[in-house]
Amino acid sequence: MGKKNLRISLLGAGTVGSGVWSLLQENADLLYAQTGCRFEVRHVLVRSLDKPRKAPIPTELLTTDAQRAVLDPEVDVVIELLGGLEPARTLIEQALQAGKHVITANKMVMALAGDRLITLASAQKVRLLYEASVAGSLPILTSLQGALAGNRITRVVGIVNSTTNFILRTMEEGLEQGTPAEDSYRIALQKAQELGYAEADPTSDVEGYDAQYKMAILARLAFLQYVPVEAVYREGITHLSGRDMVWAKRLGYGIKLLGTAERLPDGRLNVRVHPTLIPLENPLCVIRGAFSGVWLQGNGFQDMLMHGMAAGARPTASAVVGDLIEVARHPKPLPIPDPSLQPGETAPIESLTFRYFVRAQGTEPALESVRRALGEWGILRLEEDPEAGEFVAFTAPLQEGYFQEQMAKLRAQSGGAIQVIRVLE
Amino acid sequence: MGKKNLRISLLGAGTVGSGVWSLLQENADLLYAQTGCRFEVRHVLVRSLDKPRKAPIPTELLTTDAQRAVLDPEVDVVIELLGGLEPARTLIEQALQAGKHVITANKMVMALAGDRLITLASAQKVRLLYEASVAGSLPILTSLQGALAGNRITRVVGIVNSTTNFILRTMEEGLEQGTPAEDSYRIALQKAQELGYAEADPTSDVEGYDAQYKMAILARLAFLQYVPVEAVYREGITHLSGRDMVWAKRLGYGIKLLGTAERLPDGRLNVRVHPTLIPLENPLCVIRGAFSGVWLQGNGFQDMLMHGMAAGARPTASAVVGDLIEVARHPKPLPIPDPSLQPGETAPIESLTFRYFVRAQGTEPALESVRRALGEWGILRLEEDPEAGEFVAFTAPLQEGYFQEQMAKLRAQSGGAIQVIRVLE
């Protein structure tokens, strides 16, 4: 520390890599004032040397030689911004093994192989930081590991995928402007793709994989318990219809793809990602478009919501640079094992209890059988639209496993379309 | 660091002190897992040994001897929770001089004497942390000094006084339920006092002093520039009427006591506290009751809002315990001078430009003279209530110094009541 330079290899010079480069140049004096360090980029790993870039990175820094970028003995920190599982995971592992600090924005690597890499970094006495992997610029991971680490966290609820948040918001706007309900998802997805918020193959976002990775990482740090990705329940937004949003809004709710991690009364942890009805006055409902937000509950601070620009070059670069500052100031890891790697039990979603929003569409005898079944379990609110051959209901709290099984039977028996969305308590 | 204990003197065992005590006991295992340290309270400074307390603090820890609590060679950290300028400031100084780390929740001391104490702590090579002094549990100061420190901050806008936020919200609710506009402030203040949100003498909150201290601290850390308290423009909420809120709501706005710190295009800093009209759909408007929120803008992360429980025993204790974790992990201060003590220029509010909400009440010739004057400067919206002898207007952007001078003249000439509230851009 002190007056020396921190020498960096940047793996990737796409949107985020260019953002990191630019922020390091623009704020160089500020970073020096804050750390006493100069941040010096030595290598920038790219796929092609000739491609035009968003930032004016000097060509002599560009390399296509990953081993050179990762293993150069004159490099202190490797910043991995390649995305995807491989070769990112292997390069991170090589960098750690070579005694270099690693900063990554890679949620897939940190969710699927994080436990192994955290252990390796600790054994190598280097830092492995990944604030940019969850909710972009928001200092959520840093706060959970630092300022809020004296709290027993009870619940984490997040809008952690801004692509789906943008799509859902665009669906709402489209419906307000008269888009037919059955087209609203397709049109919103297309708009997200045109604006660069969604990829050509949007599966990772719209099927909830991205949010699943992020919730595995968040839950691990919040609850100090190792959470395998496959223990995170995942449901995307592709089955949502504009009709759901029209009804939700009419009844005072919005629909968001929420990630939730919570400690159950029996001590087990449940982590899940699924579309959720949220009361319009809930601050989570204000989180719109390309923003993300995470609501935390803990036994000290009680309730806290962080909310901000999560995606894009600059916000992600801000998180990476924040991690660089941490490495510059505190290059030694804590001399204690990372408590987030402790084993612990997780509970499947089937054992939880929810209130459900149910939307049934079909012909009358079929609808009546659904209405009757719901009536037996307890309906808190029922709204009919006979012209559309449709009704919606809010159920009393019911156990997920039992309820979904019954709904599957009803779907088979009645032949009607039955949509089920959980409601935020 | 490592396996040793961190020995603590707690100055003050009121609401916050009791909260810190309880949190340290309840989360002892968690704190050990996070730091490898046991946190051991050695002394609790109280005014009277016999007073009943909110937490079961063992009587053998209680002392009325401040010097013993502060200077005991077996104490590593002094946590100051006395509030007020003296004796807190002197005790903090003594503790630092004795080589002890200091954690304080005292915004008055940190705003009025922070520069001197920060310099002293640095010279003594100990930590001086004060997260709890601004926005309670929200990790704002920690983030500005850490995860967000790679950003050039351009603006900080905060609801940093939860007492006035509660009063303003209660006024709104009262008006909705039919409280006469002229009584709404008085009734809301009374309710805040009954619930313990406001003190018997509410001056510090309702006249904006508390927010002024907090904004001086926030601005110093956000803009890395020494900000004397007297450079922070201050205006409280006592001159607000229920009529202002009724009109604001009708026109799609809420009224909040906002603190703002921003870098002007000419490089100078402006810091101010005053009631502000905010569009109802702005996320700051969702921050209600006893919550606080801070909206940050920076050249990396762009936009971020942190929002949570700010006052009360537990949230404040969470911030104090977060600082304890930091001391346990990193007892050595950074070997660079604190950049927030650099001198810099501040701009007086008179040189800024605002749009104004103007509410004029009186008899017609007087109202007409106000209307005419406003018309010359540019009115963006005008609403009349002839029955109440009242109109409101939104002005075009105008320079504060010139506008307020003209309004003062108009008040004198017309004899009408003219209310002026700035509007958030």
Side-chain angles (χ1 to χ4, degrees):
Chain A
M1 255 233 64
K3 302 291 171 191
K4 81 183 197 82
N5 289 9
L6 204 67
R7 298 160 305 178
I8 296 165
S9 266
L10 202 55
L11 312 187
T15 304
V16 178
S18 299
V20 171
W21 168 270
S22 301
L23 204 58
L24 287 178
Q25 311 310 312
E26 283 175 40
N27 293 359
D29 57 336
L30 173 67
L31 291 165
Y32 184 72
Q34 291 279 17
T35 63
C37 267
R38 299 272 175 209
F39 295 84
E40 187 195 331
V41 177
R42 287 287 180 99
H43 305 287
V44 179
L45 179 66
V46 293
R47 240 173 269 163
S48 151
L49 296 173
D50 308 321
K51 214 180 130 188
R53 314 205 175 274
K54 287 175 189 162
I57 303 174
T59 49
E60 65 269 24
L61 297 182
L62 301 180
T63 177
T64 56
D65 182 349
Q67 293 305 302
R68 183 164 166 243
V70 166
L71 301 177
D72 180 349
E74 302 228 316
V75 159
D76 306 300
V77 190
V78 172
I79 301 178
E80 185 278 308
L81 302 170
L82 301 170
L85 191 58
E86 289 295 354
R89 193 193 59 78
T90 302
L91 293 175
I92 290 173
E93 199 167 322
Q94 288 180 330
L96 294 173
Q97 261 155 355
K100 299 181 190 317
H101 307 291
V102 171
I103 294 170
T104 176
N106 197 315
K107 63 231 158 204
M108 197 188 274
V109 168
M110 288 313 297
L112 294 171
D115 54 328
R116 196 186 146 144
L117 295 172
I118 291 167
T119 305
L120 175 59
S122 172
Q124 293 290 95
K125 302 204 186 310
V126 292
R127 305 296 305 263
L128 168 60
L129 299 171
Y130 45 101
E131 182 61 87
S133 67
V134 178
S137 64
L138 298 177
I140 296 276
L141 306 187
T142 305
S143 296
L144 284 172
Q145 292 180 286
L148 308 180
N151 281 267
R152 215 172 288 281
I153 304 295
T154 49
R155 190 151 83 143
V156 179
V157 180
I159 295 171
V160 292
N161 179 274
S162 50
T163 304
T164 48
N165 203 43
F166 177 84
I167 291 173
L168 294 175
R169 176 64 189 154
T170 306
M171 284 174 75
E172 283 172 2
E173 285 171 351
L175 292 163
E176 282 163 22
Q177 289 153 22
T179 305
E182 59 275 20
D183 295 335
S184 64
Y185 173 75
R186 190 181 50 73
I187 290 171
L189 172 61
Q190 201 179 329
K191 189 169 169 195
Q193 286 170 325
E194 283 164 13
L195 291 172
Y197 289 133
E199 307 198 29
D201 175 1
T203 309
S204 169
D205 291 317
V206 299
E207 295 294 358
Y209 290 99
D210 175 89
Q212 186 189 33
Y213 294 140
K214 289 170 176 168
M215 289 309 299
I217 295 170
L218 257 178
R220 190 169 62 198
L221 286 179
F223 294 95
L224 303 179
Q225 175 180 326
Y226 171 61
V227 179
V229 168
E230 55 276 17
V232 180
Y233 174 81
R234 176 187 54 77
E235 186 183 311
I237 64 164
T238 53
H239 61 91
L240 293 181
S241 145
R243 293 296 296 166
D244 299 318
M245 313 201 95
V246 168
W247 274 111
K249 194 173 175 196
R250 205 179 292 170
L251 300 172
Y253 290 82
I255 300 181
K256 299 281 188 188
L257 183 67
L258 280 199
T260 304
E262 61 186 333
R263 183 74 75 191
L264 305 180
D266 66 9
R268 291 184 302 172
L269 194 62
N270 175 265
V271 192
R272 57 190 190 268
V273 171
H274 54 71
T276 310
L277 260 74
I278 307 178
L280 288 174
E281 67 273 15
N282 187 303
L284 285 168
C285 245
V286 180
I287 298 171
R288 289 194 176 158
F291 280 68
S292 282
V294 179
W295 173 31
L296 303 167
Q297 292 184 300
N299 74 339
F301 63 80
Q302 315 289 339
D303 281 288
M304 186 178 301
L305 177 65
M306 294 195 197
H307 160 196
M309 289 285 282
R314 283 297 180 121
T316 312
S318 167
V320 168
V321 171
D323 283 349
L324 269 174
I325 291 172
E326 173 70 10
V327 167
R329 290 177 177 169
H330 304 299
K332 285 188 200 159
L334 294 177
I336 49 161
D338 189 320
S340 75
L341 299 181
Q342 288 174 13
E345 260 194 276
T346 54
I349 194 167
E350 286 75 14
S351 63
L352 270 64
T353 294
F354 295 95
R355 286 192 304 132
Y356 299 89
F357 163 92
V358 177
R359 182 174 58 83
Q361 203 166 17
T363 49
E364 203 33 69
L367 285 186
E368 180 51 26
S369 69
V370 183
R371 219 181 266 113
R372 205 169 44 232
L374 291 175
E376 280 173 29
W377 301 319
I379 293 180
L380 300 181
R381 184 162 183 178
L382 182 71
E383 301 281 339
E384 302 269 358
D385 183 346
E387 269 181 53
E390 195 177 50
F391 76 84
V392 296
F394 280 86
T395 72
L398 295 166
Q399 207 203 8
E400 169 86 8
Y402 173 78
F403 178 70
Q404 297 284 6
E405 196 182 309
Q406 300 303 314
M407 295 311 285
K409 277 189 203 159
L410 273 174
R411 276 191 199 98
Q413 283 165 13
S414 73
I418 307 176
Q419 174 73 290
V420 170
I421 308 175
R422 298 171 193 89
V423 181
L424 180 74
E425 295 296 333
Chain B
M1 257 234 62
K3 303 290 174 192
K4 81 181 196 82
N5 289 8
L6 204 67
R7 299 160 303 178
I8 296 165
S9 266
L10 202 56
L11 312 188
T15 304
V16 178
S18 299
V20 171
W21 168 269
S22 301
L23 205 58
L24 287 177
Q25 311 309 311
E26 282 174 41
N27 293 358
D29 57 335
L30 173 67
L31 291 165
Y32 184 73
Q34 291 279 18
T35 62
C37 267
R38 299 273 174 206
F39 295 83
E40 186 194 330
V41 177
R42 286 287 179 101
H43 306 287
V44 179
L45 178 67
V46 294
R47 240 173 269 162
S48 150
L49 295 173
D50 308 320
K51 214 179 131 189
R53 307 194 187 283
K54 288 175 187 160
I57 303 174
T59 49
E60 65 268 24
L61 297 182
L62 301 180
T63 177
T64 56
D65 182 349
Q67 293 304 303
R68 184 165 165 241
V70 166
L71 301 176
D72 180 348
E74 303 227 315
V75 159
D76 306 301
V77 190
V78 172
I79 301 177
E80 185 278 309
L81 303 170
L82 301 170
L85 191 58
E86 290 294 353
R89 193 193 58 78
T90 301
L91 294 175
I92 290 173
E93 199 168 323
Q94 289 180 331
L96 294 172
Q97 261 154 354
K100 300 180 191 316
H101 307 292
V102 171
I103 294 169
T104 175
N106 197 317
K107 63 232 158 204
M108 198 188 272
V109 168
M110 288 312 299
L112 294 171
D115 54 327
R116 196 186 147 143
L117 295 172
I118 291 168
T119 306
L120 175 59
S122 174
Q124 292 291 95
K125 303 204 187 310
V126 292
R127 305 294 307 263
L128 168 61
L129 299 171
Y130 45 100
E131 182 62 86
S133 68
V134 178
S137 63
L138 299 177
I140 297 276
L141 306 188
T142 305
S143 296
L144 284 172
Q145 293 179 286
L148 308 180
N151 282 268
R152 215 172 289 282
I153 304 293
T154 48
R155 191 151 82 144
V156 179
V157 179
I159 296 171
V160 291
N161 180 275
S162 50
T163 303
T164 47
N165 203 44
F166 177 84
I167 291 173
L168 293 174
R169 176 65 188 150
T170 305
M171 284 174 75
E172 282 172 3
E173 285 170 353
L175 292 163
E176 282 163 21
Q177 289 152 23
T179 305
E182 59 277 20
D183 295 335
S184 65
Y185 174 75
R186 190 180 50 75
I187 290 172
L189 171 60
Q190 200 178 330
K191 189 169 168 194
Q193 286 170 324
E194 283 164 13
L195 292 170
Y197 290 133
E199 306 197 33
D201 175 1
T203 308
S204 169
D205 291 317
V206 299
E207 295 294 358
Y209 290 97
D210 176 88
Q212 186 189 33
Y213 295 141
K214 289 169 175 169
M215 289 310 298
I217 295 170
L218 257 178
R220 189 169 62 198
L221 287 179
F223 294 95
L224 304 179
Q225 175 180 325
Y226 171 61
V227 179
V229 169
E230 55 277 16
V232 181
Y233 173 81
R234 176 187 55 77
E235 185 183 313
I237 63 165
T238 52
H239 62 91
L240 293 180
S241 143
R243 292 298 297 169
D244 299 317
M245 312 200 96
V246 168
W247 274 110
K249 195 174 173 195
R250 206 179 291 170
L251 300 172
Y253 290 82
I255 300 181
K256 299 281 189 188
L257 183 67
L258 280 198
T260 304
E262 61 187 334
R263 184 76 74 193
L264 305 181
D266 67 9
R268 290 184 302 171
L269 193 62
N270 175 264
V271 192
R272 58 191 189 268
V273 171
H274 53 72
T276 310
L277 260 74
I278 306 178
L280 288 172
E281 66 273 16
N282 187 302
L284 285 168
C285 244
V286 180
I287 298 171
R288 288 194 176 158
F291 281 68
S292 281
V294 179
W295 173 32
L296 303 168
Q297 292 184 301
N299 75 337
F301 62 80
Q302 315 290 336
D303 280 288
M304 186 178 301
L305 177 65
M306 294 195 198
H307 160 195
M309 289 284 282
R314 284 297 182 121
T316 313
S318 167
V320 168
V321 171
D323 283 349
L324 268 174
I325 291 172
E326 173 70 12
V327 167
R329 290 176 175 168
H330 305 298
K332 285 188 199 158
L334 294 176
I336 48 161
D338 189 320
S340 74
L341 298 182
Q342 289 174 11
E345 258 193 278
T346 53
I349 193 167
E350 285 74 14
S351 63
L352 270 66
T353 294
F354 296 95
R355 286 193 304 131
Y356 299 89
F357 162 91
V358 177
R359 183 174 59 82
Q361 204 167 16
T363 49
E364 203 32 71
L367 285 185
E368 180 51 28
S369 68
V370 182
R371 220 182 266 112
R372 204 171 44 233
L374 291 175
E376 279 172 31
W377 301 318
I379 293 180
L380 300 181
R381 185 163 182 178
L382 181 70
E383 301 281 338
E384 302 269 358
D385 183 346
E387 270 182 53
E390 196 177 49
F391 76 85
V392 297
F394 281 86
T395 72
L398 296 166
Q399 206 202 10
E400 168 84 8
Y402 173 77
F403 179 70
Q404 297 285 6
E405 196 183 309
Q406 299 304 314
M407 296 311 283
K409 277 190 204 157
L410 272 173
R411 274 191 201 98
Q413 283 166 13
S414 73
I418 308 175
Q419 173 73 291
V420 170
I421 307 175
R422 299 173 192 87
V423 180
L424 181 74
E425 294 297 331

